[in-house]
Amino acid sequence: MPQQPDISQPQTETRAAREWVKILSQYRESTVRRSLFELAITVGPFLTLWVLAWWALSVSYWLTLTLSLCNAAFILRLFAIQHDCGHGAFFNNRTASDWLGRVLGVLTLTPYDVWRRTHSIHHSASGNLGRRGIGDVHTLTVEEYRALGPLMRLHYRVYRHPVVLFGLGPGYLFFLQNRIPLGLMNKARYWFSAMCTNAVILIALGVMLYFGGLMPILLIFLPSTLLAATAGVWLFYVQHQFETTHWAEEEDWQLHDAALHGSSYYVLPGWLQWLTANIGIHHVHHVHSRIPFYRLPEVLRDHDELAISNRMTIRESFHNARLHLWDENSKRLLSFAQFRALPG
């Protein structure tokens, strides 16, 4: 049996989840100098690797592919900066954050205004069984799954299979689904966001095609973006899909409890934590989303309770890919094998 993730809640129950909001508010201020520095050390390597990969087309396709796959890490980091822009955390000036987010949205294939709205819904409804459907990984309860017919059970099992979630899903999400404002189809501003982003992406692809033919698209753009998308989907999954995560019916759901207990602390090696812009410190982020990513480690250094709460190592996180159903009785996310062992 694989080692079970040691994700426990009692350590932080000595302090109410709502109380953490006030405590963590002291970390919410960003600094322009630090934000610009973080942007520069992300955009710089991203552009450098793109140039080197394009140059390498005349040397070796394998070298080009290797460089493009390395660049996926910086696309992921750009997405994390875009994520902070969406929360108004990267710059104190909201307008500056939004316009930077829109520019980065072209590089990450993510219409910024659409994503900002759906991600806001995710934060306001995470763990709420009555408000599933936008900005989350589709999750059924044990009783809901029991009520399904064979065909719908198969549909859900296919959707939750790792090959679909982490193999087919990222490409579908970033290359196809992000092209329209899914979930916000009745609002013109979100169509405008999606179509403007799409137009700039098409122009960029056209320039690549004109000057370099298909190879820059096939060996640089597609592999780097797809690998970054896959890593991003995995990170989002393990941040909320773990055995003792938090789900509740709407009448019992509390925003701050869901934020603190329904998000993990993904413990990564220092270099991976840097490349992912500390997004693994997700429980702190959900409690106070205005904290800039570069200040999240300060919170853990200053508050031991949060540093030991909801911890999950990389090895432990692989277990989560087999958890699919929320059991409202045991308050645990179960595998299909565990579901079959339940009475009734």
Side-chain angles (χ1 to χ4, degrees), residues 283-344:
H283 58 328
V284 175
H285 166 69
H286 259 260
V287 171
H288 207 305
S289 61
R290 286 292 303 274
I291 300 175
F293 74 82
Y294 50 78
R295 299 200 65 184
L296 291 172
E298 291 181 45
V299 176
L300 299 188
R301 286 196 297 267
D302 295 345
H303 302 284
D304 290 341
E305 296 156 279
L306 293 175
I308 62 175
S309 173
N310 290 11
R311 289 174 62 92
M312 179 196 308
T313 66
I314 293 177
R315 182 181 178 184
E316 291 167 344
S317 69
F318 294 133
H319 170 73
N320 298 339
R322 293 196 293 271
L323 303 178
H324 307 291
L325 296 167
W326 177 250
D327 183 13
E328 294 184 89
N329 293 322
S330 66
K331 305 298 182 187
R332 292 288 188 275
L333 202 62
L334 306 181
S335 66
F336 288 121
Q338 290 171 317
F339 164 77
R340 289 192 293 271
L342 291 176

Side-chain angles (χ1 to χ4, degrees), residues 42-307:
T42 308
V43 172
F46 167 76
L47 293 176
T48 300
L49 285 170
W50 242 103
V51 170
L52 288 174
W54 192 302
W55 167 82
L57 286 169
S58 61
V59 178
S60 166
Y61 285 169
W62 287 110
L63 178 58
T64 295
L65 182 60
T66 300
L67 290 169
S68 70
L69 293 178
C70 290
N71 212 12
F74 292 96
I75 297 175
L76 181 62
R77 202 167 198 270
L78 287 172
F79 187 89
I81 292 175
Q82 177 187 338
H83 169 265
D84 264 24
C85 289
H87 287 291
F90 197 67
F91 294 124
N92 291 327
N93 184 296
R94 183 81 224 197
T95 301
S97 285
D98 286 343
W99 278 106
L100 175 60
R102 292 181 183 113
V103 172
L104 295 179
V106 174
L107 301 178
T108 64
L109 307 189
T110 306
Y112 172 76
D113 292 283
V114 178
W115 175 85
R116 188 181 72 174
R117 177 57 184 153
T118 58
H119 193 65
S120 174
I121 293 172
H122 161 69
H123 269 258
S124 65
S126 181
N128 189 329
L129 289 171
R131 295 181 60 193
R132 288 167 288 174
I134 294 182
D136 56 18
V137 177
H138 182 46
T139 307
L140 293 180
T141 68
V142 165
E143 294 306 315
E144 288 170 339
Y145 184 74
R146 276 186 175 141
L148 295 179
L151 187 60
M152 293 307 297
R153 282 194 182 192
L154 176 62
H155 179 271
Y156 183 71
R157 290 179 72 99
V158 169
Y159 166 79
R160 296 284 304 203
H161 196 280
V163 171
V164 175
L165 278 178
F166 312 117
L168 302 177
Y172 166 77
L173 175 62
F174 283 88
F175 290 122
L176 297 177
Q177 183 175 307
N178 278 356
R179 308 285 60 83
I180 59 174
L182 197 65
L184 303 169
M185 304 282 277
N186 61 340
K187 296 292 181 67
R189 63 174 295 189
Y190 300 121
W191 276 102
F192 184 75
S193 172
M195 294 307 107
C196 285
T197 303
N198 293 345
V200 178
I201 292 171
L202 284 174
I203 291 170
L205 291 174
V207 170
M208 290 180 215
L209 191 62
Y210 180 80
F211 286 102
L214 279 174
M215 286 302 102
I217 297 174
L218 295 178
L219 293 179
I220 306 175
F221 169 73
L222 287 176
S224 59
T225 305
L226 185 57
L227 181 57
T230 302
V233 169
W234 171 256
L235 285 170
F236 182 77
Y237 181 88
V238 298
Q239 285 158 3
H240 297 285
Q241 298 277 319
F242 52 90
E243 186 177 355
T244 55
T245 189
H246 183 95
W247 287 94
E249 294 292 348
E250 189 155 12
E251 59 271 19
D252 301 318
W253 179 83
Q254 295 293 329
L255 174 64
H256 301 104
D257 288 338
L260 181 61
H261 302 308
S263 307
S264 65
Y265 168 28
Y266 200 22
V267 183
L268 300 172
W271 63 276
L272 269 180
Q273 185 167 310
W274 185 87
L275 286 172
T276 57
N278 303 317
I279 198 63
I281 309 175
H282 210 64
H283 58 328
V284 175
H285 166 69
H286 259 260
V287 171
H288 207 305
S289 61
R290 286 292 303 274
I291 300 175
F293 74 82
Y294 50 78
R295 299 200 65 184
L296 291 172
E298 291 181 45
V299 176
L300 299 188
R301 286 196 297 267
D302 295 345
H303 302 284
D304 290 341
E305 296 156 279
L306 293 175

